[in-house]
Amino acid sequence: MTDRRALWSNGTVAHTSLKGQAAADRFTDGQVHRVTWAPFAALCSAPFGDRDRELLWGQAFNVLEKDMAWAFGYAIHDGYTGYIEARMLTPMVEPATHRVSVRQTMALAAPDFKNTKVEQVPLSLGSEVHVTVTDAKWATILGALHDLHIPISHLTPLDTKEPDPVAVADRLLGTPYVWGGNSTFGIDCSGLVQIACRACGIPCPGDSDQQMAQLGETLDPRASPERGDLLFWKGHVGWVANPDTLLHANAYSMSVAYEPLQSAIDRIAAQGDPVLRHARLTSS
């Protein structure tokens, strides 16, 4: 069976690339939109269905079909297919140029840290923006209806690759654990892996089973863990912060937290889940 998370078709409409491979009434290239009306948008399995993942502000979503309530399509950055509330999306006018590189920032209606205007949009680490103007302190970005302003020190050019995914993940320390979450407002184990990998220029799928199948090189189970390695269990993944410490978003602490590595391995094994894979990331 084809994984619906990676199939750009809902049976009614499909992407043009699937002609001859998928049954659909209509094929289209789609229209690229971006999330702009909220700090993040749920990517659901069906209209009014369960949240599978989330897209952050500014992230691109190729809309294959849309009505007044829901848009069907896929996330550009990882191909994850699903439905987003149509009100969360705006047609893409200009591509993103920068991403938020701090844990969280605030997009303000005026370039003034004493800004008192009502409109203030909190943006998570990993959110993507199109910068139009900069000065010594502020970057002007495209908003949904008008320009917004972010401290320039909170942004990094989109093509800049950070060197250490664990350092990126550490910025989310204490973030609440939320199943399917991808932001500083709530994140799960695979979301923590993806947000860190993407900041380092490493392509990364959205869910832990996909990550276990695709990321890095598999090491011998006896290999000594090193910073930046990934450990996979059934339905779970965590970063090796150092040979004795795991950094992961987990339901045990209900947060992004450090945990002694062997203690985590033993605790999870006691639940019936041994480590399934030890992987070391590569840049390719």
Side-chain angles (χ1 to χ4, degrees):
M1 175 182 285
T2 302
D3 190 336
R4 66 167 177 81
R5 297 170 298 178
L7 180 63
W8 302 345
S9 172
N10 63 1
T12 301
V13 64
H15 190 263
T16 303
S17 63
L18 295 178
K19 282 185 177 180
Q21 303 176 51
D25 299 331
R26 182 169 61 89
F27 292 85
T28 177
D29 289 332
Q31 181 183 15
V32 178
H33 289 58
R34 65 190 183 107
V35 175
T36 54
W37 288 99
F40 59 88
L43 180 59
C44 300
S45 58
F48 303 104
D50 294 336
R51 177 186 60 233
D52 279 338
R53 297 252 44 103
E54 292 171 344
L55 267 70
L56 303 178
W57 169 285
Q59 289 188 328
F61 184 73
N62 193 25
V63 174
L64 303 179
E65 183 178 58
K66 184 170 75 167
D67 58 26
M68 293 296 292
W70 291 91
F72 170 76
Y74 59 90
I76 295 294
H77 64 271
D78 64 4
Y80 208 116
T81 304
Y83 294 80
I84 289 179
E85 287 188 82
R87 65 186 178 90
M88 298 289 189
L89 299 170
T90 302
M92 178 76 79
V93 176
E94 296 287 352
T97 60
H98 292 68
R99 67 176 181 271
V100 175
S101 54
V102 295
R103 175 189 173 89
Q104 188 173 316
T105 191
M106 195 72 74
L108 304 175
D112 180 0
F113 71 90
K114 293 184 178 180
N115 169 69
T116 57
K117 294 183 181 294
V118 172
E119 184 173 9
Q120 300 183 39
V121 183
L123 299 183
S124 167
L125 173 71
S127 298
E128 298 180 4
V129 299
H130 179 86
V131 174
T132 57
V133 180
T134 63
D135 61 26
K137 290 186 176 181
W138 294 92
T140 301
I141 68 166
L142 295 179
L145 296 176
H146 54 76
D147 289 345
L148 295 170
H149 307 273
I150 294 176
I152 196 166
S153 61
H154 292 181
L155 299 176
T156 298
L158 205 60
D159 59 0
T160 298
K161 298 178 182 179
E162 298 209 32
D164 182 359
V166 177
V168 177
D170 177 79
R171 292 171 208 162
L172 294 171
L173 190 64
T175 297
Y177 178 84
V178 173
W179 180 271
N182 280 84
S183 76
T184 58
F185 309 104
I187 200 162
D188 67 7
C189 63
S190 56
L192 188 67
V193 169
Q194 187 182 61
I195 202 169
C197 281
R198 295 199 69 232
C200 297
I202 301 169
C204 180
D207 288 341
S208 61
D209 62 326
Q210 298 171 314
Q211 293 168 356
M212 182 163 64
Q214 297 178 36
L215 288 181
E217 299 177 354
T218 300
L219 302 181
D220 187 287
R222 296 165 295 182
S224 298
E226 296 181 2
R227 182 178 177 88
D229 287 357
L230 291 169
L231 294 182
F232 292 94
W233 293 262
K234 182 180 180 181
H236 189 59
V237 59
W239 289 107
V240 174
N242 61 54
D244 300 313
T245 310
L246 188 71
L247 175 60
H248 58 154
N250 64 93
Y252 178 67
S253 68
M254 288 303 296
S255 67
V256 176
Y258 287 103
E259 185 174 358
L261 180 57
Q262 194 58 52
S263 295
I265 291 173
D266 292 343
R267 176 177 59 78
I268 299 172
Q271 300 169 1
D273 293 314
V275 173
L276 298 179
R277 184 172 182 245
H278 177 186
R280 186 153 295 160
L281 292 178
T282 60
S283 59
S284 60

